[in-house]
Amino acid sequence: MRLALVNDERREAAPKLSGCCLGCSQPMTSKCGTQRVWHWAHRGNRSCDSWWEPETLWHRGWKDQFPLEWQEIIQRDEKGEKHVADVMTGNGQVIEFQHSHLPAQERIAREAFYRNMIWIVDGMRLKNDRKRFLARGNLLSVPLAKNLFITRSPESCLPAVWLNCTKPVLFDFEGFDLPDGSPREMQGKLWCLLPGRFDGYAVLAAVSRSWFVDAAKMREQIIPTDAIRWFVQKGLTARRWNYARPPHFGQPRGRRRAKY
Ligand SMILES: [Zn+2]
């Protein structure tokens, strides 16, 4: 964990500091070595949250985008189950940062537990994931609307384990140090897979990191899924309308366009 209670204050790990766990109140030891990011560990190194994963620089890079008081927030359900949310915005939306592999069962359990949540997935952990996504440039070259893309085969460009989420999943293929060779149109972006399908299409929205961080501070729902749905429906209808008519059908092109 990044934070522990020291004299009733949430503090980051520092050398020779001792504190108590935010979740279970057990004593914590500060680990301030050179191998891993500085963190707090339960004595005996057994975390009280089975969902907790050791943090990487990627996790910390993301958490640093948000105020400390939004980080590591204890959440309880009505049965008394307790977990630590990576970040919870001022509007109560949980952001979970996922670096390591997540079994489908645990992903489903976390979505059910947090309810109002979104995922940010480290798309650089497996080199092939990033390579596969980059190779699908043709998908990204024909947007349905600005920054909106559709595909009937999301499995050809995104990791299979994240395809059937019930919450928005944002893939981070860049981290905080831009890897070499990213096409310009990909730079600085997160790729958000919306839950569900629209007429059989998976929908991807490209958002910039800075937009995402600002939206987390201002919007109740960071990803406006309803608005995106509306755009997608509108775009799909327009496409059907265009495909259904020969090029010179009816009125001149300019006037026909003006109708919608
Ligand atoms: Zn604990």
Side-chain angles (χ1 to χ4, degrees):
M1 308 259 289
R2 177 179 211 163
L3 301 166
L5 275 184
V6 178
N7 300 327
D8 287 334
E9 245 182 84
R10 287 155 55 90
R11 294 270 305 269
E12 292 196 59
K16 295 182 186 158
L17 206 58
S18 27
C20 296
C21 173
L22 298 170
C24 68
S25 308
Q26 292 301 305
M28 302 281 265
T29 316
S30 59
K31 303 276 187 183
C32 305
T34 52
Q35 299 289 312
R36 283 181 44 195
V37 291
W38 287 11
H39 63 281
W40 293 97
H42 289 82
R43 301 236 167 108
N45 281 335
R46 287 183 58 189
S47 174
C48 60
D49 185 350
S50 56
W51 291 353
W52 192 255
E53 66 169 332
E55 286 192 308
T56 59
L57 284 171
W58 177 79
H59 281 102
R60 285 292 167 90
W62 266 111
K63 283 185 171 178
D64 284 342
Q65 310 298 311
F66 305 103
L68 207 57
E69 59 269 25
W70 287 11
Q71 300 177 26
E72 299 186 0
I73 304 297
I74 309 296
Q75 297 285 286
R76 290 180 172 80
D77 70 5
E78 47 290 339
K79 287 177 264 160
E81 192 173 325
K82 197 166 55 175
H83 294 286
V84 187
D86 284 331
V87 161
M88 190 164 90
T89 68
N91 287 312
Q93 188 163 44
V94 166
I95 310 173
E96 284 284 276
F97 303 105
Q98 193 61 32
H99 167 77
S100 43
H101 171 73
L102 192 63
Q105 249 178 345
E106 187 176 325
R107 174 182 60 70
I108 293 164
R110 286 209 223 175
E111 290 179 353
F113 179 84
Y114 291 124
R115 293 180 193 160
N116 181 15
M117 71 161 300
I118 55 181
W119 296 101
I120 295 197
V121 172
D122 186 351
M124 291 160 304
R125 185 177 67 91
L126 301 174
K127 266 196 187 141
N128 268 344
D129 283 352
R130 182 168 180 277
K131 233 161 79 185
R132 215 151 52 105
F133 187 74
L134 288 175
R136 287 286 295 177
N138 55 342
L139 158 72
L140 305 177
S141 61
V142 190
L144 181 72
K146 196 170 180 247
N147 293 322
L148 267 187
F149 307 87
I150 54 171
T151 173
R152 284 198 187 274
S153 52
E155 67 284 353
S156 64
C157 59
L158 294 170
V161 287
W162 294 103
L163 293 183
N164 295 309
C165 291
T166 59
K167 312 291 175 189
V169 186
L170 291 102
F171 295 92
D172 177 4
F173 290 109
E174 291 181 2
F176 294 90
D177 296 313
L178 194 64
D180 292 337
S182 291
R184 218 173 141 260
E185 63 275 16
M186 278 194 63
Q187 291 179 12
K189 293 202 175 125
L190 300 167
W191 300 86
C192 176
L193 176 67
L194 255 60
R197 298 291 180 265
F198 304 75
D199 291 352
Y201 288 103
V203 176
L204 269 175
V207 300
S208 75
R209 283 156 189 278
S210 55
W211 181 91
F212 181 86
V213 172
D214 288 346
K217 289 171 185 161
M218 289 181 309
R219 288 170 182 265
E220 208 163 299
Q221 296 292 311
I222 303 173
I223 301 296
T225 41
D226 288 344
I228 296 176
R229 251 179 219 129
W230 182 83
F231 267 110
V232 171
Q233 288 303 351
K234 198 175 143 199
L236 287 175
T237 307
R239 272 194 182 188
R240 271 198 299 269
W241 200 91
N242 279 340
Y243 290 149
R245 284 159 177 77
H248 301 297
F249 175 84
Q251 298 158 332
R253 190 173 170 78
R255 282 186 62 192
R256 217 169 65 224
R257 273 196 154 176
K259 280 190 169 178
Y260 55 92

